[in-house]
Amino acid sequence: MKINPIHGADLAQFCLQQIESDEREVDVGGPETLSINQIAKVAFEVQQKRVAITSIPDSVRRMLIWFMAKLPDRYAGGAEFFLTMLGSDSVAPSYGKQTLAKHYARLTKP
């Protein structure tokens, strides 16, 4: 799965530019498209830690979605949404300049 996360400051600037627009819904994403593994790798590298990524078979993800659909939304809604989104790409038109690596680096500064 690939996504293009957008920094809050870039998103705010985009929203301000859209205020006068007649569009009711606009897709927007950050400046770089990354896989979930690439995002995890960047997080490890910024912290200067050994990259250690574990994957589970997609059948486990689908089974968990099935199970969570049986539970009340207040218990499983967020997890069900997250697991569903992991099943496909979610890439929007690119906007902004702030990358995830720079954001992570700012978070890890002492």
Side-chain angles (χ1 to χ4, degrees):
M1 180 199 129
K2 293 184 178 185
I3 61 174
N4 59 329
I6 187 167
H7 190 278
D10 287 340
L11 179 59
Q13 187 175 10
F14 178 83
C15 289
L16 288 173
Q17 291 175 356
Q18 296 300 312
I19 287 177
E20 300 297 324
S21 172
D22 291 334
E23 296 290 325
R24 295 183 53 95
E25 187 175 308
V26 182
D27 294 331
V28 64
E32 59 185 353
T33 299
L34 303 166
S35 71
I36 295 300
N37 283 346
Q38 288 172 312
I39 291 171
K41 184 178 177 188
V42 167
F44 280 109
E45 288 172 348
V46 165
Q47 297 177 74
Q48 299 178 350
K49 293 186 178 183
R50 182 180 66 82
V51 176
I53 299 170
T54 303
S55 299
I56 60 169
D58 193 54
S59 58
V60 173
R61 180 190 66 84
R62 291 192 312 266
M63 181 190 66
L64 287 170
I65 291 170
W66 176 86
F67 176 74
M68 289 183 183
K70 312 291 184 214
L71 299 173
D73 278 346
R74 70 175 187 250
Y75 297 120
E80 183 181 359
F81 173 78
F82 177 75
L83 288 168
T84 300
M85 293 302 296
L86 282 176
S88 63
D89 291 345
S90 186
V91 179
S94 177
Y95 181 85
K97 294 186 172 100
Q98 300 191 52
T99 66
L100 195 58
K102 288 180 184 174
H103 176 68
Y104 285 168
R106 281 192 298 271
L107 291 177
T108 59
K109 282 185 179 177

